[in-house]
Amino acid sequence: MHEILDERWHAGQHFAIFSPTEGGKSHLIRYGLLPLWQRYPVLWIRFKARDDTTPGFGTQVDRYPIIERGKYRVRHRDSPAWEHDPEHFLLQLPRYRFDATAPQDRSASWAHARRVCGEALDRTFREGGWVLVIDEIQAVNGKRPPALDLESALENCLQRGRTQPLTMITASQQPAWNAPSVYDQARWVALGRTLDEARFERIGQLGGSRERIEGVLPTLAGASPGPPEFLIVDRHTGDMWISTAPPAPAAR
């Protein structure tokens, strides 16, 4: 996977991942995709309060990083420090809390999370050069709390990010839960194991051969006990291949 993507995947090209719950989406992002972007700023927006994949990833922040970027802005592009200290940030959004007095369940915690996420989407788009990771895309574009109803800001990034360049890595359980731009604007699509092709009802629009895709998905290895397998589709060329996400490094 690394050999192909390292040659073909360029800044401004989006990557969409679809796999059922516990299908290894976050694992693929951290250990399979982000190592290709060691010298780019990465902002991973995390909705889940706990995630087995993200502990120890980057510098954790509670809003778009400004002060934290200082040391990276003055670092030389050829510095070996990028290999062990990349400019990677993990933005943990506040948890949603129910408030019986809030209209339409839009509590103060929801409004705060929406503001933080919306500003991050807007800043990374306007500044360009970022890799933006959203591993629960329906939590951004969903209309009802706890989803943040940020479809407009998300669409702006997806549709206009290529020339900024803004590179987006998005993950979801199935294409039907997302705005069409999530996969329409992606050059790369990764599909995880599923025994129910109906979950990917838009599979014919993803590129590649629908018959081959539907035949391969049930045969892929899941996330347990080992690293998951994914079917990778290059939507520009129609090329497809099966790839195993690299295992997590052994704890030191």
Side-chain angles (χ1 to χ4, degrees), residues 174-233:
Q174 57 176 310
W177 289 3
N178 302 284
S181 293
V182 172
Y183 54 90
D184 282 350
Q185 299 299 320
R187 170 166 181 174
W188 305 95
V189 172
L191 300 170
R193 172 182 170 83
T194 180
L195 302 178
D196 180 9
E197 290 86 356
R199 294 181 62 87
F200 296 155
E201 61 183 51
R202 293 175 176 170
I203 205 168
Q205 302 173 44
L206 297 178
S209 165
R210 176 172 186 146
E211 291 74 18
R212 288 175 60 197
I213 291 174
E214 291 181 343
V216 167
L217 293 183
T219 71
L220 298 176
S224 180
E229 288 183 328
F230 287 88
L231 178 64
I232 313 294
V233 180

Side-chain angles (χ1 to χ4, degrees), residues 33-246:
L33 302 183
L34 291 184
L36 296 167
W37 301 93
Q38 288 288 102
R39 296 174 185 267
Y40 282 74
V42 172
L43 183 63
W44 187 324
I45 299 179
R46 185 174 74 178
F47 293 86
K48 292 177 284 188
R50 297 181 179 86
D51 189 322
D52 293 339
T53 304
T54 52
F57 174 82
T59 301
Q60 185 162 334
V61 294
D62 59 5
R63 74 289 182 263
Y64 176 85
I66 298 177
I67 298 174
E68 295 84 355
R69 298 199 67 193
K71 69 174 182 178
Y72 300 105
R73 290 182 180 274
V74 300
R75 181 186 291 173
H76 195 274
R77 193 44 77 175
D78 294 329
S79 170
W82 295 108
E83 297 303 319
H84 61 83
D85 181 28
E87 189 181 4
H88 292 178
F89 303 98
L90 180 68
L91 173 55
Q92 176 64 61
L93 293 181
R95 297 187 191 185
Y96 170 80
R97 294 183 180 275
F98 174 72
D99 180 354
T101 67
Q104 298 180 317
D105 292 332
R106 297 186 171 189
S107 63
S109 62
W110 176 87
H112 179 46
R114 185 175 191 270
R115 181 172 62 253
V116 170
C117 186
E119 289 175 352
L121 292 173
D122 183 63
R123 289 291 295 267
T124 53
F125 171 79
R126 287 190 288 111
E127 291 188 10
W130 280 93
V131 177
L132 182 62
V133 178
I134 304 176
D135 66 356
E136 294 287 345
I137 198 72
Q138 60 269 26
V140 175
N141 67 350
K143 299 296 184 183
R144 299 181 60 182
L148 300 179
D149 192 15
L150 285 169
E151 184 175 353
S152 295
L154 178 65
E155 286 287 330
N156 189 51
C157 293
L158 289 167
Q159 294 185 25
R160 300 175 178 86
R162 182 178 63 82
T163 55
Q164 291 302 97
L166 173 65
T167 306
M168 297 193 69
I169 302 174
T170 63
S172 178
Q173 294 183 31
Q174 57 176 310
W177 289 3
N178 302 284
S181 293
V182 172
Y183 54 90
D184 282 350
Q185 299 299 320
R187 170 166 181 174
W188 305 95
V189 172
L191 300 170
R193 172 182 170 83
T194 180
L195 302 178
D196 180 9
E197 290 86 356
R199 294 181 62 87
F200 296 155
E201 61 183 51
R202 293 175 176 170
I203 205 168
Q205 302 173 44
L206 297 178
S209 165
R210 176 172 186 146
E211 291 74 18
R212 288 175 60 197
I213 291 174
E214 291 181 343
V216 167
L217 293 183
T219 71
L220 298 176
S224 180
E229 288 183 328
F230 287 88
L231 178 64
I232 313 294
V233 180
D234 181 344
R235 298 187 65 248
H236 285 193
T237 66
D239 293 341
M240 300 188 297
W241 70 95
I242 297 173
S243 180
T244 301

